[in-house]
Amino acid sequence: MNTSDLPGSAPEKRLARKPRVIVTRRLGPAVEDRMSALFDARTNASDMPLTREQLVEAMQQCDVLVPTVTDRIDGDMLAEAGEDLGLIANFGAGTEHIDLKAAAAQKIMVTNTPGVFTDDTADLTMAGIIGVPRRVREGVELIRSGEWSGWAPTALLGRKLGGKTLGIVGMGRIGQAVAHRARAFGLQIVYHNRKRLPEAVERMFGATYIGNLDELVALADILTLHCPAGPDNHHMIDARRIGLMKEEASLINTARGDLVDQEALIAALESGKLAGAGLDVYPDEPHVDERLIRHPNVMTLPHIGSATREGREDSGMKVIANIRMWADGHRPSDQVLSGLA
């Protein structure tokens, strides 16, 4: 495909002035200082998510908007954007919060920052894969409550990892990074993906492709999700599929909250159908259902899969690189093509 024919436009020539950039959340001093040096940049000192009205106002006042996953940008909002808005330089890899087709129709380019959070998210996923079967949260609570009476042969018995089956739904960058780590713990890897990986890659991870998601769900002792949000994946793990899971299996979700039917998950946890869950994302963030918080073997984390200093700074620098390429009249390598005609 000739990129010059793609919807969304880079300036025909270098901008004659510094691009006016509005950043919707705080991105850390190193990134913000660099933006201030290169651009006419305005940051969000309060770090509170912008309202719908504030986002529209921002898009009417800038050349480049730098949003995050907390900013929902739909077609109606984009229709009200100022004529100078030419780039939405998203901070993060996921772009399901942006109406890509509407942006293309408005000739607004969208970029993201793929790859920088792969290892960070995979590391946190492993915390759940290890911590839930070994009942780590219960152990921590026992110590903190002062109720631990000492070692006993039958106390807090969990499940060993070696020889168990890890089912990975979504075998992109993060799914593969999880498989790489999990293999070292002796887990048997099965995966489901829109497209099967090359045989050489499967051999590298010791992974077996399962084309039917129901079959994979039924095989897994631990099920971990690494796929994007969207209409096709909404509640992909619903009551029916949870019903297919093994008794006392575990579910790990560090991807997106709406991949799982939360009510069905809670019911399975409370009935003992599932042994536990490791959750870093929720359908109605920042709200977390009290039933999940109270459950003794649910690791509830505050969306910190990508929360490392190194990863966040790398993502910010990718945003800066994308803006500079766009302002220089070039197409950034991180232009998002999904949803574009």
Side-chain angles (χ1 to χ4, degrees):
M1 180 184 292
N2 184 342
T3 57
S4 64
D5 296 329
L6 289 171
S9 59
E12 293 182 359
K13 59 183 179 180
R14 183 184 181 97
L15 288 181
R17 53 175 167 74
K18 287 184 177 181
R20 295 169 300 162
V21 177
I22 294 181
V23 185
T24 66
R25 301 297 298 270
R26 298 302 303 269
L27 300 184
V31 175
E32 291 180 350
D33 289 349
R34 185 65 174 154
M35 282 190 170
S36 295
L38 293 171
F39 314 131
D40 178 6
R42 191 173 87 199
T43 57
N44 178 1
S46 73
D47 200 34
M48 294 297 293
L50 299 185
T51 65
R52 181 184 180 89
E53 293 73 22
Q54 288 171 326
L55 281 169
V56 170
E57 182 180 359
M59 289 191 289
Q60 291 171 342
Q61 298 176 358
C62 65
D63 303 299
V64 180
L65 183 75
V66 180
T68 73
V69 68
T70 62
D71 303 305
R72 296 285 174 181
I73 301 173
D74 61 35
D76 290 339
M77 297 166 69
L78 288 164
E80 296 185 54
E83 61 181 21
D84 290 333
L85 180 65
L87 175 65
I88 296 176
N90 188 61
F91 178 89
T95 56
E96 65 274 5
H97 55 292
I98 302 169
D99 189 329
L100 298 178
K101 290 183 178 179
Q106 296 288 112
K107 300 189 182 304
I108 299 169
M109 184 184 293
V110 178
T111 59
N112 64 346
T113 61
V116 291
F117 297 135
T118 297
D119 287 333
D120 300 331
T121 305
D123 290 344
L124 193 78
T125 300
M126 288 304 302
I129 289 172
I130 298 166
V132 173
R134 293 302 305 271
R135 301 171 67 179
V136 168
R137 173 179 171 171
E138 291 173 90
V140 170
E141 293 295 336
L142 192 63
I143 293 290
R144 288 183 172 177
S145 68
E147 296 178 3
W148 185 46
S149 59
W151 182 89
T154 58
L156 273 182
L157 297 181
R159 304 293 294 273
K160 71 183 296 180
L161 292 182
K164 297 298 190 298
T165 298
L166 175 67
I168 300 177
V169 183
M171 200 67 158
R173 291 184 180 94
I174 296 173
Q176 291 181 36
V178 169
H180 174 71
R181 288 157 171 75
R183 192 178 186 190
F185 285 84
L187 285 156
Q188 305 299 310
I189 310 298
V190 295
Y191 77 96
H192 176 80
N193 204 45
R194 285 181 298 176
K195 294 182 180 179
R196 183 171 182 172
L197 298 177
E199 185 178 345
V201 177
E202 290 182 343
R203 286 199 305 269
M204 181 172 63
F205 295 122
T208 301
Y209 176 69
I210 306 294
N212 185 291
L213 180 56
D214 286 356
E215 183 181 346
L216 177 129
V217 165
L219 285 171
D221 296 294
I222 305 168
L223 185 69
T224 182
L225 309 180
H226 301 287
C227 39
D232 292 341
N233 291 339
H234 182 74
H235 286 184
M236 66 187 309
I237 305 302
D238 56 10
R240 184 185 67 81
R241 285 199 167 117
I242 290 174
L244 298 175
M245 294 178 70
K246 293 180 179 179
E247 294 292 326
E248 298 191 349
S250 302
L251 175 67
I252 313 298
N253 187 11
T254 59
R256 289 291 184 263
D258 66 357
L259 297 177
V260 179
D261 181 337
Q262 184 168 270
E263 287 299 323
L265 172 62
I266 291 170
L269 290 165
E270 292 183 339
S271 71
K273 162 69 176 175
L274 296 183
L279 306 174
D280 188 42
V281 289
Y282 310 90
D284 188 26
E285 296 183 14
H287 173 71
V288 180
D289 194 290
E290 284 291 333
R291 292 169 293 177
L292 294 173
I293 297 172
R294 290 196 305 265
H295 193 281
N297 200 25
V298 176
M299 294 176 64
T300 47
L301 298 173
H303 204 148
I304 57 171
S306 63
T308 67
R309 294 178 183 177
E310 297 89 345
R312 295 283 171 85
E313 185 169 315
D314 287 347
S315 183
M317 293 305 174
K318 255 186 176 286
V319 167
I320 290 171
N322 288 331
I323 296 171
R324 294 186 73 181
M325 288 189 70
W326 175 85
D328 285 344
H330 304 301
R331 288 193 176 273
S333 56
D334 294 324
Q335 181 180 2
V336 178
L337 303 181
S338 176
L340 301 184

